[in-house]
């Protein structure tokens, strides 16, 4: 099938589909790899955004923790103050600390028995004290914004007293899981930041502040990864600190997040508790389609605990950049394919055009209408140029050869004319020779008759010439031999004459034949003469 096509079409039929297949294969592989890589990068970017956003959200808490450490340092220097004035002095510090920080809803301290000033017995059941007399003031803002003080409660009760017991057990700073606290008759979600006071390895007490979670909820609600995603903040115990659905605040994620994370909920909870990175693609009602859910740890400096920021983003947004990149890659590949096809066509034309000229030139020569002075144009140093140069060299040699053949043909024509003239002369000589041979044969026949008569006379004279009988017999034998020889020679001469007629085209052979005929004629004449002489002698 390909043999019936031109070279350009052959190149187009063979190379173009092959290149298309190769490019499509490369494009598909590249598409897969680019999409996979871009999606992976997008997911990693989402993780980085989650970590960054999480650190930004908890930054106020960490900052408050660092400032609270300064207050704890002041508490450690209480020995410089008279024990009787020590509580009043530190109450003033706590009140001022709260007053200077509008974001706080309370500041407080709680000490082990007699650890603060060894005067617990003097303060039993007094204002902002309980029956123990321990230093346990809680400064807070009331509904009108006024700062009030009261005694802390439930500080020795596990669960309710975690704001004290956790730091007492760990001797580390603590940021509590958010919990509801009634403020001005309304339950508010708050958290407590606690710094322990440890002296010479001994736990003495804590200082702490209470912070509303509402500001954190507001910050988290403003986190929109890729412009449309949402975020949620969880403690290490999976308690919800901030969430797109405010009704879930303060609840545990194990009981609320099943509708969003589906079968991935156990893995998500495990990631939240361990602080490990997590990601899953699932279908959720949030975006009515495939959704990327990921979780990253948010360190709570110096506490030994962590929170977690989880984000949910529709996969269409995650892969949007990858899809755009793939479209650009496809456009580039198709443009490259079109350009490559054009290049192939130009190259094919550049190759086939000189070959077409070469084929036409050879066809002209083959059909006898060619001009041997015609030459192909030689451009460049490629194979076509080499072939064109070789053709030009070949054509030049053919021209020289044909010119030589033409000259030789003219010479051969002249020689043929000369040979024809010589052959015509030889033919005429042969005719004359044949006529002479015929005359010799007639003479031989007459001589034979004469010899016969002589023989008769000799027979008649045999009786009278006994002495010559032997000689006459010998003469007769010789004559018979001569007659036979002459007859044979006459036949040979006739055959030679026929052969000479058949060999008219060979002047040299004709000359030799004529020479032979002449020698035979001379011998015949000589024999005839000898025979006549012998006959005459016999007659005598």
């Amino acid at each position: 099938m390909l043999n019936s096509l031109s070279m350009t079409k052959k190149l187009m039929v063979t190379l173009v589909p092959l290149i298309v297949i190769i490019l499509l294969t490369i494009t598909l592989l590249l598409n897969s790899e680019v999409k996979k890589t871009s999606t992976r990068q997008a997911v990693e970017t989402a993780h980085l955004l989650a970590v960054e956003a999480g650190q930004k959200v908890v930054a106020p808490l960490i900052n408050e923790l660092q400032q609270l450490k300064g207050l704890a340092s002041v508490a450690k220097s209480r020995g410089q103050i008279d024990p009787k004035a020590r509580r009043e002095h530190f109450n003033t510090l706590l009140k001022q600390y709260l007053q200077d920080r509008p974001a706080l809803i309370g500041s407080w301290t709680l000490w082990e028995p007699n650890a603060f000033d060894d005067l617990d017995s003097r303060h039993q059941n007094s204002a902002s004290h309980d029956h123990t007399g321990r230093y346990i003031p809680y400064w807070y803002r009331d509904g009108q914004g006024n700062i009030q003080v009261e005694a802390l409660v439930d500080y020795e009760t596990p669960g309710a007293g975690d704001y004290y017991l956790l730091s007492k057990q760990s001797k580390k700073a603590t940021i509590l899981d958010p919990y509801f606290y009634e403020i001005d008759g309304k339950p508010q979600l708050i958290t407590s930041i606690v710094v322990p006071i440890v002296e010479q390895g001994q736990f003495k007490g804590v200082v702490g502040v209470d912070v509303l979670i509402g500001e954190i909820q507001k910050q988290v609600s403003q986190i929109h990864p890729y412009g449309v995603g949402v975020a949620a903040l969880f403690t290490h115990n999976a308690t919800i600190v901030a969430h797109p659905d405010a009704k879930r605040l303060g609840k545990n994620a194990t009981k609320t997040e099943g509708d969003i994370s589906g079968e991935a909920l156990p893995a998500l909870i495990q990631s939240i508790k361990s602080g490990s990175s997590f990601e899953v693609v699932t279908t959720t009602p949030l975006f009515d389609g495939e959704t990327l859910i990921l979780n990253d740890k948010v360190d709570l400096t110096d506490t030994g605990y962590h929170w977690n920021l989880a984000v949910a983003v529709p996969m269409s947004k995650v892969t949007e950049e990858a899809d755009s990149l793939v479209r650009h890659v496809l456009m580039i590949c198709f443009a490259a394919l079109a350009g490559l096809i054009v290049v192939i066509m130009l190259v094919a034309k550049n190759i086939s055009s000189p070959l077409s000229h070469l084929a036409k030139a050879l066809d002209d020569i083959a059909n006898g209408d060619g001009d041997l002075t015609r030459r192909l144009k030689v451009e460049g140093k490629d194979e076509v140029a080499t072939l064109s140069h070789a053709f030009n060299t070949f054509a030049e040699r053919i021209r020289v050869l044909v010119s030589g053949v033409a000259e030789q043909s003219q010479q051969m024509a002249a020689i043929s004319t000369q040979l024809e003239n010589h052959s015509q002369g030889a033919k005429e000589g042969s005719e004359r020779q044949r006529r002479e041979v015929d005359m010799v044969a007639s003479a031989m026949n007459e001589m034979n008759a004469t010899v016969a008569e002589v023989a008769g006379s000799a027979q008649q004279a045999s009786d009278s010439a006994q002495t010559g009988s032997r000689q006459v017999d010998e003469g007769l034998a010789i004559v018979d031999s001569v007659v036979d020889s002459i007859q044979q020679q006459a036949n040979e001469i006739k055959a030679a004459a026929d052969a000479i007629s058949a060999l008219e085209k060979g002047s040299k052979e004709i000359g030799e034949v004529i020479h032979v005929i002449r020698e035979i004629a001379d011998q015949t004449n000589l024999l005839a003469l000898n025979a006549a002489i012998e006959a005459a002698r016999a007659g005598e």
Side-chain angles (χ1 to χ4, degrees), residues 304-509:
Y305 295 103
H306 67 273
W307 284 2
N308 303 267
L309 186 72
V311 299
V313 186
M315 278 302 293
S316 59
K317 283 293 182 180
V318 175
T319 61
E320 185 176 33
E321 184 177 351
D323 293 338
S324 177
L325 181 59
V326 167
R327 285 194 296 271
H328 281 85
V329 169
L330 290 175
M331 290 175 62
I332 292 172
C333 288
F334 285 128
L337 177 61
L340 192 56
I341 291 175
V342 172
V343 170
I344 291 175
M345 293 178 64
L346 293 176
V347 171
K349 185 176 180 181
N350 189 44
I351 294 174
S352 63
S353 180
L355 292 178
S356 298
H357 293 315
L358 176 60
K360 187 175 185 306
L362 293 175
D363 185 65
D364 290 344
I365 294 174
N367 293 328
D369 298 329
D371 183 3
L372 293 178
T373 62
R374 181 177 179 180
R375 298 293 180 268
L376 297 178
K377 188 176 182 179
V378 179
E379 294 180 346
K381 296 182 179 180
D382 57 8
E383 288 79 1
V384 175
T386 302
L387 183 61
S388 299
H389 181 269
F391 171 77
N392 292 341
T393 303
F394 171 75
E396 178 61 23
R397 291 182 178 178
I398 291 294
R399 187 190 65 78
V400 172
L401 179 62
V402 171
S403 298
V405 170
E407 294 177 359
Q408 294 294 330
S409 297
Q410 292 177 356
Q411 294 178 2
M412 289 298 295
I415 293 172
S416 297
T417 302
Q418 293 178 1
L419 286 175
E420 184 178 1
N421 294 334
H422 287 303
S423 298
Q424 186 64 31
K427 180 179 180 182
E428 294 176 356
S430 298
E431 287 293 332
R432 288 195 300 270
Q433 188 65 36
R434 186 178 63 79
R435 288 194 298 270
E436 291 177 357
V437 169
D438 290 340
M439 291 176 64
V440 170
S442 299
M444 291 300 102
N445 290 331
E446 292 178 356
M447 186 178 291
N448 187 28
T450 303
V451 168
E453 291 179 356
V454 169
S457 296
Q459 185 66 35
Q460 293 176 359
S462 63
D463 294 336
S464 59
Q466 291 294 328
T467 57
S469 178
R470 183 177 58 82
Q471 296 179 350
V472 172
D473 291 337
E474 292 177 357
L476 288 174
I478 291 172
V479 169
D480 290 337
S481 175
V482 170
V483 171
D484 292 338
S485 176
I486 290 172
Q487 188 63 38
Q488 183 178 358
Q489 289 177 357
N491 293 333
E492 289 178 356
I493 289 171
K494 187 175 181 181
D498 295 336
I500 289 171
S501 298
L503 297 174
E504 291 178 347
K505 295 181 180 180
S507 59
K508 184 176 179 180
E509 294 179 0

Side-chain angles (χ1 to χ4, degrees), residues 20-294:
V20 169
I21 293 173
I22 293 174
L23 278 180
L24 285 178
T25 302
I26 294 174
T27 301
L28 292 175
L29 293 175
L30 189 61
N31 176 24
S32 176
E33 290 301 319
V34 167
K35 192 166 185 178
K36 185 187 300 181
T37 302
S38 298
T39 302
R40 182 70 258 171
Q41 291 178 347
V43 171
E44 291 176 357
T45 300
H47 277 292
L48 293 175
L49 291 174
V51 172
E52 183 180 355
Q55 293 295 343
K56 185 177 179 180
V57 167
V58 301
L61 299 180
I62 301 302
N63 182 57
E64 193 61 49
L65 176 62
Q66 298 303 323
Q67 294 185 39
L68 195 57
K69 285 182 178 180
L71 186 60
S73 297
V74 173
K76 289 181 180 181
S77 66
R78 68 192 181 281
Q80 300 176 9
I81 303 172
D82 181 56
K84 294 180 181 180
R86 195 175 293 174
R87 296 194 183 196
E88 184 178 355
H89 175 75
F90 205 71
N91 276 335
T92 301
L93 289 177
L94 287 174
K95 182 178 180 180
Q96 188 62 44
Y97 191 89
L98 178 61
Q99 190 173 353
D100 293 340
R101 294 165 175 78
L104 301 180
I105 62 173
S107 60
W108 46 272
T109 186
L110 197 159
W111 292 76
E112 288 288 280
N114 290 315
F116 186 72
D117 54 11
D118 199 26
L119 297 175
D120 288 357
S121 59
R122 292 183 58 181
H123 297 283
Q124 291 176 351
N125 295 315
S126 63
S128 69
H129 293 80
D130 60 10
H131 67 282
T132 65
R134 294 166 62 176
Y135 186 45
I136 55 173
Y138 176 62
W139 292 88
Y140 66 95
R141 287 186 174 88
D142 61 17
Q144 288 73 37
N146 299 318
I147 297 177
Q148 305 291 336
V149 63
E150 64 182 27
L152 292 169
V153 297
D154 298 329
Y155 48 84
E156 293 290 357
T157 303
D162 285 349
Y163 64 92
Y164 173 65
L165 296 176
L166 292 178
S167 287
K168 180 180 179 179
Q169 294 168 1
S170 66
K171 297 180 182 180
K172 292 182 179 181
T174 303
I175 298 178
L176 296 184
D177 287 357
Y179 57 94
F180 285 99
Y181 184 78
E182 189 172 302
I183 300 175
D184 196 21
K186 296 180 180 180
Q188 299 284 344
L189 191 66
I190 69 171
T191 185
S192 297
I193 303 173
V194 186
V195 174
I197 299 171
V198 181
E199 297 175 347
Q200 296 179 352
Q202 295 295 319
F203 175 78
K204 297 297 182 179
V206 298
V207 292
V209 293
D210 294 336
V211 183
L212 283 172
I213 296 298
E215 187 62 28
I216 294 178
Q217 166 70 5
K218 182 178 179 181
Q219 292 182 30
V220 172
S221 65
Q222 294 175 351
I223 299 175
H224 298 292
Y226 292 95
V228 295
V230 294
L233 189 64
F234 304 91
T235 69
H236 70 285
N237 289 323
T239 300
I240 300 175
V241 181
H243 198 280
D245 182 4
K247 296 178 180 179
R248 305 186 186 194
L249 297 179
K251 298 180 180 180
N252 196 281
T254 56
K255 299 178 180 180
T256 62
E257 302 307 295
D259 60 335
I260 295 178
S261 54
E263 295 179 355
L265 180 60
L268 175 61
I269 299 301
Q270 177 61 32
S271 169
I272 289 173
K273 291 183 177 181
S274 65
S276 59
S277 182
F278 169 81
E279 63 188 56
V280 68
V281 178
T282 184
T283 301
T284 73
L286 279 176
F287 303 108
D288 193 25
E290 282 196 339
T291 303
L292 170 65
I293 298 177
L294 53 85

